[in-house]
Amino acid sequence: MTKNLLRIMAVVMTAMASASTATADNWITPLADNIYVSDMSIPGTHDSATGEGFEGILGGLGKSMAQTQDLTISQQWDCGIRAFDLRPTVENSSDGTYLHIYHGIIKTAMTFDKALLTLRDKLKENPGEFAIVIMRHESDANSNIQDQWPALMDKYLHSEALAGYLIDFRPGLTIGDMRGKILVMSRDTYDNGPHGAYITSWSHSNEYKDQTKAVISGPDGSSERALVQDFYDCTASDGIDKKINSMLYMLNIRMAATSTRWCINHASGYTKNASSDGYRDNAVKTSEALLGVLNSSDTEPGATGIIMMDYAGTDKSGSYNVKGLELTNAIIAQNSRYTHLTTGITDNTTADSKVSVNHKTISSETPMTVYQTDGTMVAHNVTSADMPTEGIFIVKNAGESMKVMVR
């Protein structure tokens, strides 16, 4: 009864939020410090800087051919977006080379440093939040100077302006670790990196087996596997069906998971052709499919991971009902519908008022039953139990269930 009531309330709250203006409170700030970032539901934007407008020789084509967002990066932040896809390339200027954000060969009106400083300033104002940047080297333009990208990227990420605002990746990052920080995850290597993380084995396949091979690694060599779905060319007759099936399959896998595996699931792509209306048409269909799952009272709630979308924060783009604000709010609202996986974890730290973890021992003020994630019972009707291995366990006591990790 209580679970069903919570689901109904979450659906109503999402619908109410979607009817409001494109702003969101600091939705991460109230969440507990010990929640794993990888067990959150986070809305993100694909080719985030295209909402800034376009410039340069081909800039006139941007609005019709390369736009995937209507809102600026600052406006995206304000409506609740916390993951941003930035694609810098090396650009010439009278003062030398620098990094500018492109979409393919079309130049946006946003430099790479301005994008990062925009996020930095948002974090200065909202230190309880965090940002994730997913980055790739957009190498199609200015091909004769792209060999400078590795050195320039190293210089930018080491700049004094960003000192104290970037965080290095390691397995098990929590909200508490990330507050006030930017995690830069790059699909391409650069000098002395990573200053954040590298993501390798990125997948554009619609096959799930190919989407399980990504690896996120930090500067200390630590790494973990990730799920990445970025099937984007939906122009074939069955393209949109493949896209939606692939996207929803990964969503269901992640929402049912009892692990802290990172997941980056793209709603973005194009149908008619690689054009702004192609992105809009795709967004209409993928938003509807995702909302059908997230807003359903029949859906068992769980973490969505990071969902990267086009036309976030706006429900109508041109003549297309893209439902980008409704989807953004639904993803955020998902965080109130399930119990996040938390550390429970650090020695002598209480996960809640009843359960604590010390090394491999789980203790409770009242009798508890402990299960492995496959349902195997480890201990029953005890107040203290030594776990056979490190990992995730389900603790049930006093009529409640929680996930804890022993490490």
Side-chain angles (χ1 to χ4, degrees):
M1 176 71 74
T2 301
K3 181 179 287 188
N4 288 335
L5 180 60
L6 285 171
R7 291 178 182 171
I8 294 169
M9 289 176 64
V11 172
V12 172
M13 289 173 64
T14 301
M16 291 174 63
S18 296
S20 67
T21 57
T23 59
D25 292 332
N26 290 336
W27 62 271
I28 295 175
T29 300
L31 299 178
D33 279 349
N34 65 344
I35 291 172
Y36 287 110
V37 175
S38 56
D39 201 51
M40 295 175 65
S41 300
I42 300 175
T45 49
H46 159 249
D47 270 301
S48 306
T50 60
E52 304 284 345
F54 300 90
E55 59 185 39
I57 296 174
L58 299 177
L61 298 174
K63 191 170 183 179
S64 62
M65 298 303 296
Q67 189 165 345
T68 65
Q69 305 298 332
D70 283 344
L71 303 185
T72 66
I73 288 174
S74 178
Q75 291 169 331
Q76 291 169 31
W77 172 281
D78 291 343
C79 78
I81 298 299
R82 293 296 180 265
F84 303 85
D85 169 26
L86 302 179
R87 304 187 176 195
T89 193
V90 181
E91 181 79 359
N92 274 315
S93 75
S94 58
D95 297 323
T97 54
Y98 70 101
L99 294 177
H100 200 102
I101 300 177
Y102 273 64
H103 182 184
I105 60 173
I106 298 180
K107 184 179 181 180
T108 74
M110 176 66 81
T111 63
F112 183 59
D113 63 333
K114 185 177 179 182
L116 291 179
L117 293 179
T118 296
L119 296 177
R120 181 206 65 181
D121 291 345
K122 291 294 186 182
L123 292 171
K124 282 184 177 181
E125 299 167 3
N126 309 283
E129 303 293 294
F130 63 75
I132 296 172
V133 170
I134 300 173
M135 179 179 71
R136 60 160 285 181
H137 179 193
E138 198 73 288
S139 58
D140 294 336
N142 309 324
S143 59
N144 59 317
I145 55 174
Q146 293 311 309
D147 59 349
Q148 298 181 46
W149 195 88
L152 282 171
M153 183 55 65
D154 179 42
K155 177 182 176 181
Y156 273 58
L157 296 182
H158 266 127
S159 69
E160 184 177 344
L162 293 174
Y165 285 92
L166 302 184
I167 186 170
D168 288 334
F169 174 83
R170 67 176 185 278
L173 280 175
T174 64
I175 290 178
D177 297 326
M178 288 276 289
R179 292 197 197 278
K181 306 290 186 183
I182 304 170
L183 174 62
V184 178
M185 300 198 290
S186 178
R187 293 161 58 183
D188 297 284
T189 60
Y190 49 85
D191 291 353
N192 303 310
H195 308 307
Y198 286 146
I199 308 180
T200 56
S201 299
W202 190 271
S203 174
H204 294 297
S205 169
N206 69 303
E207 297 290 338
Y208 179 72
K209 61 181 175 57
D210 300 320
Q211 299 165 3
T212 64
K213 299 176 181 179
V215 177
I216 305 176
S217 56
D220 64 354
S222 62
S223 65
E224 61 180 292
R225 298 287 291 273
L227 301 175
V228 173
Q229 181 278 123
D230 188 13
F231 176 69
Y232 62 88
D233 186 347
C234 306
T235 54
S237 59
D238 61 348
I240 191 60
D241 290 334
K242 285 184 176 180
K243 174 66 177 182
I244 289 174
N245 290 339
S246 182
M247 178 184 68
L248 293 186
Y249 187 81
M250 179 168 286
L251 177 68
N252 289 328
I253 289 287
R254 184 59 193 89
M255 289 177 69
T258 53
S259 73
T260 58
R261 192 168 189 178
W262 284 74
C263 177
I264 304 170
N265 196 357
H266 285 71
S268 55
Y270 52 82
T271 51
K272 300 176 178 181
N273 46 49
S275 68
S276 301
D277 278 352
Y279 291 113
R280 290 185 179 99
D281 186 64
N282 177 82
V284 170
K285 296 175 173 65
T286 55
S287 291
E288 182 179 7
L290 286 166
L291 288 167
V293 174
L294 296 177
N295 289 343
S296 173
S297 59
D298 295 328
T299 298
E300 186 68 27
T304 67
I306 302 170
I307 295 182
M308 306 295 282
M309 70 185 85
D310 291 329
Y311 299 100
T314 182
D315 281 335
K316 191 162 188 177
S317 180
S319 62
Y320 293 81
N321 294 316
V322 294
K323 296 186 178 180
L325 176 57
E326 185 177 350
L327 180 57
T328 300
N329 287 327
I331 295 168
I332 294 171
Q334 187 71 8
N335 288 284
S336 67
R337 300 182 68 192
Y338 63 95
T339 301
H340 292 89
L341 183 59
T342 61
T343 58
I345 290 175
T346 51
D347 291 349
N348 302 314
T349 296
T350 300
D352 75 350
S353 59
K354 303 183 183 69
V355 176
S356 62
V357 178
N358 187 358
H359 296 296
K360 290 188 177 181
T361 302
I362 300 176
S363 302
S364 173
E365 294 179 2
T366 56
M368 64 180 177
T369 301
V370 184
Y371 300 87
Q372 293 179 331
T373 55
D374 64 1
T376 302
M377 184 183 296
V378 178
H380 176 63
N381 200 31
V382 297
T383 57
S384 181
D386 294 332
M387 297 299 101
T389 62
E390 296 181 346
I392 300 164
F393 295 87
I394 309 300
V395 176
K396 294 186 177 182
N397 74 335
E400 298 182 354
S401 299
M402 71 185 67
K403 302 173 186 176
V404 298
M405 178 172 279
V406 173
R407 65 180 181 185

